Amino acid sequence: LFFLLSYACANKILKEWRAGEAQILGYPPYIVASNQLLVDIIKANPTNVEELSQIRGMGKRKVRDYGEDLLLILENFYDMKS
């Protein structure tokens, strides 16, 4: 149950981040990151750019444009949980 709550919370945070990025850029949210990509990021829980770049869908451009933000969000989320 804890894992499901933690996953749901992380997913909500990443979707809110994605919506903000999409609004700033004038893109639909799925262009910034698909729902599946967000799920894969949560499952992988990368701690650095190299790990993030290994996730399917995180090409060089997405890593360059969003990588640091995503890593900071995950770091802060998991710091809150511990």
Side-chain angles (χ1 to χ4, degrees), residues 43-60:
K43 285 180 182 177
N45 189 22
T47 57
N48 58 52
V49 172
E50 184 176 328
E51 290 175 1
L52 188 62
S53 68
Q54 300 301 310
I55 298 170
R56 186 171 187 238
M58 282 301 298
K60 289 180 183 179

Side-chain angles (χ1 to χ4, degrees), residues 6-7 9-11 13-14 17 37-48 51-52 55 66-82:
S6 185
Y7 163 80
C9 194
N11 196 35
I13 290 168
L14 288 179
W17 164 81
L37 179 56
L38 297 181
V39 168
D40 292 343
I41 290 169
I42 293 166
K43 285 180 182 177
N45 189 22
T47 57
N48 58 52
E51 290 175 1
L52 188 62
I55 298 170
Y66 311 126
E68 293 300 322
D69 286 349
L70 287 167
L71 292 170
L72 187 58
I73 290 166
L74 291 172
E75 180 182 337
N76 287 333
F77 175 75
Y78 288 108
D79 280 351
M80 280 186 343
K81 292 293 181 188
S82 51

